[in-house]
Amino acid sequence: MASNQRPPEKMMFQLTLRRRGISDQSVLRTMEEVPRELFVEDADRGDAYRDSALPIACGQTISQPFVVAYMTEQLQVRKHHRVLEIGAGSGYQAAVLSRLAGQVLTVERYRRLADVARARLEKLGCHNVEVMLGDGLNLPANIGPFDRIIVTAAMEQVPENLIERLEVGGVLIAPVGPHQGVQTLVRLTRSEAGIERRELVDVRFVPALPGVAREL
């Protein structure tokens, strides 16, 4: 008789997120539903649910589950929101966002990563996600504004032209700090009065680089 029990690694995965303070039930449910093993390299599938970052192609990484869950929770995404992600990577964060938001646009500078992420997301039925090959630091003027913006690469400072794409009431989360070293997750909230800035936790991300990669 088939068992409906979750495998031990998935149970530990959820337990770790809860122990580390993730409490939003929609985020926890989404983290459980999205098959993380489909977004890691084949050699790393056995470690897909370990709470650590893992390498992917083009010298990039897939963030550790806690960071994905924490950033998603801090974004407070709702079904009517249009979300921009800078740095598609493996497509995992976009897959998580797709279950919580109305529309997701994720921008990736590496063609190889963009193509693979697009194929994975289509296979999973994430039809509300668009993967765009482009420069996340120099976006076309015609793709805003957004209710939520998430940056998954380290920025020394958040560009003003990115902040300007936020709707009133919008939230932006980005790792801010030196490219080599520790960054701090910063949460910017736009109101009629201006921008409110709040520093959250220390993290480590690969650097956000300008331009579209010439190779890969």
Side-chain angles (χ1 to χ4, degrees):
M1 185 169 62
S3 172
N4 291 323
Q5 290 185 332
R6 290 178 294 175
E9 65 270 16
K10 291 290 289 288
M11 293 178 66
M12 185 56 66
F13 175 74
Q14 282 283 311
L15 185 59
T16 298
L17 294 179
R18 292 173 186 270
R19 282 177 172 170
R20 297 198 64 180
I22 304 302
S23 60
D24 186 309
Q25 292 303 307
S26 62
V27 172
L28 288 166
R29 183 169 57 252
T30 299
M31 294 292 292
E32 181 171 15
E33 290 172 351
V34 174
R36 185 174 163 89
E37 69 273 13
L38 299 186
F39 292 89
V40 302
E41 299 295 297
D42 289 345
D44 292 320
R45 286 199 169 191
D47 293 322
Y49 292 96
R50 185 161 51 90
D51 194 29
S52 63
L54 294 170
I56 59 174
C58 305
Q60 304 302 293
T61 59
I62 177 173
S63 297
Q64 72 184 93
F66 169 72
V67 171
V68 173
Y70 183 80
M71 292 178 76
T72 303
E73 186 174 64
Q74 289 294 321
L75 270 183
Q76 299 179 328
V77 180
R78 300 294 179 261
K79 279 294 184 183
H80 63 280
H81 286 159
R82 186 167 186 244
V83 182
L84 171 66
E85 179 191 24
I86 305 298
S90 70
Y92 180 64
Q93 177 72 76
V96 170
L97 291 169
S98 75
R99 292 176 178 260
L100 300 168
Q103 291 181 300
V104 179
L105 172 63
T106 182
V107 182
E108 176 54 57
R109 68 187 299 267
Y110 291 101
R111 182 178 297 277
R112 179 179 173 188
L113 291 180
D115 289 346
V116 171
R118 188 180 296 110
R120 284 170 172 159
L121 291 162
E122 287 177 358
K123 184 177 180 180
L124 278 178
C126 300
H127 301 306
N128 61 339
V129 180
E130 178 186 352
V131 180
M132 184 177 85
L133 178 68
D135 181 355
L137 300 178
N138 186 24
L139 295 166
N142 63 347
I143 64 166
F146 296 90
D147 302 291
R148 299 290 186 267
I149 298 175
I150 182 170
V151 181
T152 57
M155 294 179 153
E156 293 180 336
Q157 60 183 14
V158 182
E160 192 62 33
N161 65 4
L162 198 56
I163 298 172
E164 289 172 355
R165 293 175 187 272
L166 271 183
E167 294 271 21
V168 173
V171 176
L172 181 154
I173 290 183
V176 178
H179 283 175
Q180 305 301 324
V182 177
Q183 303 94 34
T184 300
L185 272 184
V186 172
R187 186 179 195 266
L188 303 180
T189 305
R190 182 169 205 153
S191 68
E192 296 283 4
I195 301 295
E196 176 188 338
R197 177 186 172 111
R198 181 181 169 203
E199 295 189 352
L200 302 173
V201 297
D202 289 343
V203 290
R204 285 179 181 268
F205 277 83
V206 296
L209 300 175
V212 175
R214 292 186 177 183
E215 299 177 354
L216 302 177

